[in-house]
Amino acid sequence: MSKTKKLSLATWIFIGLAAGIIVGFMLMGNTEIADGYIKPFGTLFLNLLKLIVVPIVLFSITAGVISMKDIRKVGAIGWKTIVYYMCTTAAAVVIGLVAASLFKGAFPMLSTSGLEYEAAQAPSILTTLIGIFPDNPIAPLLNANMLQVIVIALLLGIGIILAGEKGAVSSGVVESLNEVFLKIMTIIIRLSPIGVFCLIVPVVATNGPGILGSLALVLLAAYVCYFLHAAIVYSSTVKIMAGVSPVAFFKGMFPAMMMAFSSASSVGTLPLNLECSEKLGARKDIASFVLPLGATVNMDGTAIYQGLCSVFIASCFGIDLTFAQMLTIVLTATLASIGTAGVPGAGMIMLAMVLQSVGLPVEGIALVAGVDRIFDMGRTTINITGDAACAIIVTKLEEKREARQKVTATR
Ligand code: ASP
């Protein structure tokens, strides 16, 4: 695709978002039009994205593994990805906790009497780990269970490599289907500006500025942290580890970030994120492995939100968290963000697990539930940006490793 075309899609998405916010404000108090006529098209667009996500993840990861031709290479990319994801997520929780401790004095003291929140069962860490491995090859595809789909794709790819000549037909089929689904994805992505518009209008029309109310400061604190995390952690790592200028990085990521902001779904943003990161230099085989994995397990924005909200909820209950409790929050929020599905609102459910880990009342979630969508839009934007940064960095590290291997081989 030419450069002008790339710019025009980003611009169109931005126009869609800005127009959506303006129309949303105009329709405030008249949610019938927003919910009845505009929201369904947003849902239609999200459905198309969800439709394409499972085949894209399945075939692109499998094709990615096959193209590496060597299982050791899959391992090399895998561990680099996991290390980057874990470190940046832990940094995110720390940023959330530090900011919350600084802002704490200014946070509103909301009344906690009569709070009720029916905590949806947040799975334990062990259940999450075991649940990654499916006992059925079809169900994960039907239920769009991304972690399980990733396991299936990895095994399929590894199986095809090991089968050698006899796996050639399967390899051809996977590669061909991968191309076909990527083409379908391109068609759907062209609809993004309209999709973004239809998704944001009902959110603004229903919530309006009034909803911010007493929580405006907590939301502000979250957005400051999201911004700091992107400006400090992503800017420095893409610059130092991949040699990409932060300005070019965020400019290139803009379409995917807008999409994440309006859809609040990492998984839904995956197709666009693949496109943006590849244009920023991430290699296709690496991006198609790193991004689907990240859309499911790497959630820095969610981790920030969980750290920050834990401190806020604790302060409303008049509880001062100890240093040990803070450390527990870093650990559980890092793990909870891994277990969070890349769909709207999932991070709030996992917040229950974080609160429980330090003995805070789960009902506290009710304090922030009303504005969850606004937290969610920012945290999803950060979540997908971290995935792309990782894809670009791992590509660079792999290129360096390959260059080193070539030098040793020619000696
Ligand atoms: N909506 C987020 C995402 O898709 C997950 C969350 O709720 O934190 O990345």
PDB file of all heavy atoms in Angstrom, residues 264-267 295 299 301-302 305 340-348 372 376 379-380 383-384, ligand 1:
ATOM      1  N   ALA A 264     -12.637  -0.631  22.589  1.00  0.00           N
ATOM      2  CA  ALA A 264     -12.273  -1.219  23.879  1.00  0.00           C
ATOM      3  C   ALA A 264     -12.052  -2.724  23.772  1.00  0.00           C
ATOM      4  O   ALA A 264     -12.339  -3.476  24.691  1.00  0.00           O
ATOM      5  CB  ALA A 264     -13.308  -0.905  24.961  1.00  0.00           C
ATOM      6  N   SER A 265     -11.533  -3.159  22.631  1.00  0.00           N
ATOM      7  CA  SER A 265     -11.272  -4.584  22.458  1.00  0.00           C
ATOM      8  C   SER A 265      -9.928  -4.822  21.770  1.00  0.00           C
ATOM      9  O   SER A 265      -9.749  -4.478  20.602  1.00  0.00           O
ATOM     10  CB  SER A 265     -12.402  -5.218  21.634  1.00  0.00           C
ATOM     11  OG  SER A 265     -12.037  -6.511  21.243  1.00  0.00           O
ATOM     12  N   SER A 266      -8.993  -5.404  22.515  1.00  0.00           N
ATOM     13  CA  SER A 266      -7.676  -5.711  21.931  1.00  0.00           C
ATOM     14  C   SER A 266      -7.825  -6.716  20.801  1.00  0.00           C
ATOM     15  O   SER A 266      -7.160  -6.619  19.769  1.00  0.00           O
ATOM     16  CB  SER A 266      -6.757  -6.363  22.959  1.00  0.00           C
ATOM     17  OG  SER A 266      -6.432  -5.501  23.977  1.00  0.00           O
ATOM     18  N   VAL A 267      -8.682  -7.705  21.046  1.00  0.00           N
ATOM     19  CA  VAL A 267      -8.843  -8.749  20.038  1.00  0.00           C
ATOM     20  C   VAL A 267      -9.442  -8.162  18.761  1.00  0.00           C
ATOM     21  O   VAL A 267      -9.003  -8.461  17.648  1.00  0.00           O
ATOM     22  CB  VAL A 267      -9.712  -9.902  20.605  1.00  0.00           C
ATOM     23  CG1 VAL A 267     -10.117 -10.861  19.518  1.00  0.00           C
ATOM     24  CG2 VAL A 267      -8.939 -10.639  21.690  1.00  0.00           C
ATOM     25  N   ALA A 295      -2.417  -9.744  22.417  1.00  0.00           N
ATOM     26  CA  ALA A 295      -3.816  -9.312  22.535  1.00  0.00           C
ATOM     27  C   ALA A 295      -4.518 -10.094  23.635  1.00  0.00           C
ATOM     28  O   ALA A 295      -5.536  -9.678  24.179  1.00  0.00           O
ATOM     29  CB  ALA A 295      -4.539  -9.503  21.206  1.00  0.00           C
ATOM     30  N   MET A 299      -1.329  -6.944  28.869  1.00  0.00           N
ATOM     31  CA  MET A 299      -2.287  -5.867  29.083  1.00  0.00           C
ATOM     32  C   MET A 299      -1.718  -4.864  30.071  1.00  0.00           C
ATOM     33  O   MET A 299      -2.033  -4.898  31.259  1.00  0.00           O
ATOM     34  CB  MET A 299      -3.590  -6.428  29.645  1.00  0.00           C
ATOM     35  CG  MET A 299      -4.124  -7.579  28.852  1.00  0.00           C
ATOM     36  SD  MET A 299      -5.754  -7.229  28.327  1.00  0.00           S
ATOM     37  CE  MET A 299      -6.007  -8.496  27.129  1.00  0.00           C
ATOM     38  N   GLY A 301      -2.177  -1.552  30.079  1.00  0.00           N
ATOM     39  CA  GLY A 301      -3.194  -0.573  30.482  1.00  0.00           C
ATOM     40  C   GLY A 301      -4.090  -1.154  31.568  1.00  0.00           C
ATOM     41  O   GLY A 301      -4.415  -0.500  32.569  1.00  0.00           O
ATOM     42  N   THR A 302      -4.450  -2.419  31.400  1.00  0.00           N
ATOM     43  CA  THR A 302      -5.297  -3.090  32.382  1.00  0.00           C
ATOM     44  C   THR A 302      -4.559  -3.195  33.722  1.00  0.00           C
ATOM     45  O   THR A 302      -5.150  -3.004  34.790  1.00  0.00           O
ATOM     46  CB  THR A 302      -5.671  -4.498  31.864  1.00  0.00           C
ATOM     47  OG1 THR A 302      -6.314  -4.333  30.601  1.00  0.00           O
ATOM     48  CG2 THR A 302      -6.582  -5.239  32.814  1.00  0.00           C
ATOM     49  N   TYR A 305      -4.621   0.153  35.456  1.00  0.00           N
ATOM     50  CA  TYR A 305      -5.962   0.375  35.995  1.00  0.00           C
ATOM     51  C   TYR A 305      -6.178  -0.429  37.278  1.00  0.00           C
ATOM     52  O   TYR A 305      -6.722   0.068  38.259  1.00  0.00           O
ATOM     53  CB  TYR A 305      -6.970  -0.006  34.896  1.00  0.00           C
ATOM     54  CG  TYR A 305      -8.322  -0.455  35.363  1.00  0.00           C
ATOM     55  CD1 TYR A 305      -9.329   0.477  35.619  1.00  0.00           C
ATOM     56  CD2 TYR A 305      -8.610  -1.807  35.541  1.00  0.00           C
ATOM     57  CE1 TYR A 305     -10.577   0.061  36.051  1.00  0.00           C
ATOM     58  CE2 TYR A 305      -9.848  -2.230  35.974  1.00  0.00           C
ATOM     59  CZ  TYR A 305     -10.829  -1.296  36.224  1.00  0.00           C
ATOM     60  OH  TYR A 305     -12.058  -1.706  36.657  1.00  0.00           O
ATOM     61  N   THR A 340      -6.751 -11.759  31.587  1.00  0.00           N
ATOM     62  CA  THR A 340      -7.865 -10.947  31.102  1.00  0.00           C
ATOM     63  C   THR A 340      -8.073 -11.162  29.608  1.00  0.00           C
ATOM     64  O   THR A 340      -7.121 -11.098  28.835  1.00  0.00           O
ATOM     65  CB  THR A 340      -7.558  -9.440  31.345  1.00  0.00           C
ATOM     66  OG1 THR A 340      -7.279  -9.257  32.725  1.00  0.00           O
ATOM     67  CG2 THR A 340      -8.722  -8.564  30.952  1.00  0.00           C
ATOM     68  N   ALA A 341      -9.318 -11.404  29.222  1.00  0.00           N
ATOM     69  CA  ALA A 341      -9.596 -11.577  27.792  1.00  0.00           C
ATOM     70  C   ALA A 341      -9.565 -10.207  27.125  1.00  0.00           C
ATOM     71  O   ALA A 341      -9.862  -9.205  27.765  1.00  0.00           O
ATOM     72  CB  ALA A 341     -10.967 -12.208  27.627  1.00  0.00           C
ATOM     73  N   GLY A 342      -9.186 -10.170  25.854  1.00  0.00           N
ATOM     74  CA  GLY A 342      -9.085  -8.884  25.172  1.00  0.00           C
ATOM     75  C   GLY A 342     -10.420  -8.375  24.658  1.00  0.00           C
ATOM     76  O   GLY A 342     -10.583  -8.058  23.483  1.00  0.00           O
ATOM     77  N   VAL A 343     -11.397  -8.313  25.535  1.00  0.00           N
ATOM     78  CA  VAL A 343     -12.740  -7.843  25.145  1.00  0.00           C
ATOM     79  C   VAL A 343     -13.188  -6.757  26.132  1.00  0.00           C
ATOM     80  O   VAL A 343     -12.652  -6.679  27.235  1.00  0.00           O
ATOM     81  CB  VAL A 343     -13.766  -9.001  25.145  1.00  0.00           C
ATOM     82  CG1 VAL A 343     -13.423 -10.028  24.086  1.00  0.00           C
ATOM     83  CG2 VAL A 343     -13.852  -9.664  26.510  1.00  0.00           C
ATOM     84  N   PRO A 344     -14.176  -5.940  25.749  1.00  0.00           N
ATOM     85  CA  PRO A 344     -14.574  -4.843  26.645  1.00  0.00           C
ATOM     86  C   PRO A 344     -14.983  -5.325  28.033  1.00  0.00           C
ATOM     87  O   PRO A 344     -15.676  -6.334  28.183  1.00  0.00           O
ATOM     88  CB  PRO A 344     -15.770  -4.217  25.917  1.00  0.00           C
ATOM     89  CG  PRO A 344     -15.597  -4.582  24.492  1.00  0.00           C
ATOM     90  CD  PRO A 344     -14.908  -5.913  24.485  1.00  0.00           C
ATOM     91  N   GLY A 345     -14.509  -4.612  29.033  1.00  0.00           N
ATOM     92  CA  GLY A 345     -14.956  -4.860  30.402  1.00  0.00           C
ATOM     93  C   GLY A 345     -14.280  -5.995  31.138  1.00  0.00           C
ATOM     94  O   GLY A 345     -14.495  -6.180  32.335  1.00  0.00           O
ATOM     95  N   ALA A 346     -13.429  -6.758  30.447  1.00  0.00           N
ATOM     96  CA  ALA A 346     -12.843  -7.941  31.094  1.00  0.00           C
ATOM     97  C   ALA A 346     -11.926  -7.558  32.255  1.00  0.00           C
ATOM     98  O   ALA A 346     -11.854  -8.258  33.258  1.00  0.00           O
ATOM     99  CB  ALA A 346     -12.072  -8.765  30.069  1.00  0.00           C
ATOM    100  N   GLY A 347     -11.233  -6.438  32.116  1.00  0.00           N
ATOM    101  CA  GLY A 347     -10.283  -6.023  33.144  1.00  0.00           C
ATOM    102  C   GLY A 347     -10.953  -5.768  34.479  1.00  0.00           C
ATOM    103  O   GLY A 347     -10.371  -5.976  35.545  1.00  0.00           O
ATOM    104  N   MET A 348     -12.194  -5.311  34.423  1.00  0.00           N
ATOM    105  CA  MET A 348     -12.911  -5.013  35.665  1.00  0.00           C
ATOM    106  C   MET A 348     -13.239  -6.307  36.425  1.00  0.00           C
ATOM    107  O   MET A 348     -13.202  -6.345  37.653  1.00  0.00           O
ATOM    108  CB  MET A 348     -14.197  -4.248  35.354  1.00  0.00           C
ATOM    109  CG  MET A 348     -14.812  -3.641  36.575  1.00  0.00           C
ATOM    110  SD  MET A 348     -16.256  -2.681  36.149  1.00  0.00           S
ATOM    111  CE  MET A 348     -17.432  -3.954  35.806  1.00  0.00           C
ATOM    112  N   ASP A 372     -16.542   2.331  33.896  1.00  0.00           N
ATOM    113  CA  ASP A 372     -15.549   1.374  33.418  1.00  0.00           C
ATOM    114  C   ASP A 372     -15.206   1.561  31.944  1.00  0.00           C
ATOM    115  O   ASP A 372     -14.064   1.424  31.539  1.00  0.00           O
ATOM    116  CB  ASP A 372     -16.003  -0.064  33.653  1.00  0.00           C
ATOM    117  CG  ASP A 372     -14.892  -1.027  33.278  1.00  0.00           C
ATOM    118  OD1 ASP A 372     -13.801  -0.906  33.878  1.00  0.00           O
ATOM    119  OD2 ASP A 372     -15.054  -1.843  32.357  1.00  0.00           O
ATOM    120  N   ASP A 376     -11.673   1.741  30.289  1.00  0.00           N
ATOM    121  CA  ASP A 376     -11.393   0.653  29.358  1.00  0.00           C
ATOM    122  C   ASP A 376     -10.850   1.166  28.019  1.00  0.00           C
ATOM    123  O   ASP A 376      -9.933   0.573  27.437  1.00  0.00           O
ATOM    124  CB  ASP A 376     -12.688  -0.158  29.143  1.00  0.00           C
ATOM    125  CG  ASP A 376     -12.410  -1.557  28.632  1.00  0.00           C
ATOM    126  OD1 ASP A 376     -11.230  -1.864  28.391  1.00  0.00           O
ATOM    127  OD2 ASP A 376     -13.363  -2.333  28.456  1.00  0.00           O
ATOM    128  N   ARG A 379      -7.239   1.950  28.616  1.00  0.00           N
ATOM    129  CA  ARG A 379      -6.363   0.805  28.909  1.00  0.00           C
ATOM    130  C   ARG A 379      -6.207  -0.093  27.680  1.00  0.00           C
ATOM    131  O   ARG A 379      -5.121  -0.635  27.430  1.00  0.00           O
ATOM    132  CB  ARG A 379      -6.806   0.026  30.148  1.00  0.00           C
ATOM    133  CG  ARG A 379      -8.183  -0.568  30.159  1.00  0.00           C
ATOM    134  CD  ARG A 379      -8.512  -1.187  31.525  1.00  0.00           C
ATOM    135  NE  ARG A 379      -9.663  -2.077  31.390  1.00  0.00           N
ATOM    136  CZ  ARG A 379     -10.822  -1.916  32.019  1.00  0.00           C
ATOM    137  NH1 ARG A 379     -10.993  -0.925  32.856  1.00  0.00           N
ATOM    138  NH2 ARG A 379     -11.816  -2.755  31.831  1.00  0.00           N
ATOM    139  N   THR A 380      -7.258  -0.211  26.863  1.00  0.00           N
ATOM    140  CA  THR A 380      -7.125  -1.033  25.658  1.00  0.00           C
ATOM    141  C   THR A 380      -6.127  -0.398  24.685  1.00  0.00           C
ATOM    142  O   THR A 380      -5.333  -1.096  24.050  1.00  0.00           O
ATOM    143  CB  THR A 380      -8.499  -1.201  24.976  1.00  0.00           C
ATOM    144  OG1 THR A 380      -9.443  -1.610  25.955  1.00  0.00           O
ATOM    145  CG2 THR A 380      -8.463  -2.224  23.875  1.00  0.00           C
ATOM    146  N   ASN A 383      -2.865  -1.287  25.937  1.00  0.00           N
ATOM    147  CA  ASN A 383      -2.629  -2.727  25.770  1.00  0.00           C
ATOM    148  C   ASN A 383      -2.100  -3.066  24.377  1.00  0.00           C
ATOM    149  O   ASN A 383      -1.107  -3.775  24.224  1.00  0.00           O
ATOM    150  CB  ASN A 383      -3.933  -3.509  25.993  1.00  0.00           C
ATOM    151  CG  ASN A 383      -4.391  -3.478  27.440  1.00  0.00           C
ATOM    152  OD1 ASN A 383      -3.642  -3.077  28.322  1.00  0.00           O
ATOM    153  ND2 ASN A 383      -5.635  -3.893  27.697  1.00  0.00           N
ATOM    154  N   ILE A 384      -2.767  -2.539  23.356  1.00  0.00           N
ATOM    155  CA  ILE A 384      -2.369  -2.951  21.995  1.00  0.00           C
ATOM    156  C   ILE A 384      -1.071  -2.259  21.556  1.00  0.00           C
ATOM    157  O   ILE A 384      -0.322  -2.791  20.757  1.00  0.00           O
ATOM    158  CB  ILE A 384      -3.488  -2.705  20.954  1.00  0.00           C
ATOM    159  CG1 ILE A 384      -3.834  -1.212  20.852  1.00  0.00           C
ATOM    160  CG2 ILE A 384      -4.739  -3.500  21.256  1.00  0.00           C
ATOM    161  CD1 ILE A 384      -3.343  -0.631  19.578  1.00  0.00           C
TER     162      ILE A 384
HETATM  163  N1  ASP B   1     -10.819  -4.215  27.105  1.00  0.00           N
HETATM  164  C1  ASP B   1      -9.459  -4.600  27.387  1.00  0.00           C
HETATM  165  C2  ASP B   1      -8.807  -5.133  26.145  1.00  0.00           C
HETATM  166  O1  ASP B   1      -9.470  -5.605  25.258  1.00  0.00           O
HETATM  167  C3  ASP B   1      -9.377  -5.586  28.501  1.00  0.00           C
HETATM  168  C4  ASP B   1      -9.805  -4.927  29.774  1.00  0.00           C
HETATM  169  O2  ASP B   1     -11.005  -4.849  30.035  1.00  0.00           O
HETATM  170  O3  ASP B   1      -8.939  -4.442  30.508  1.00  0.00           O
HETATM  171  O4  ASP B   1      -7.617  -5.083  26.033  1.00  0.00           O
END
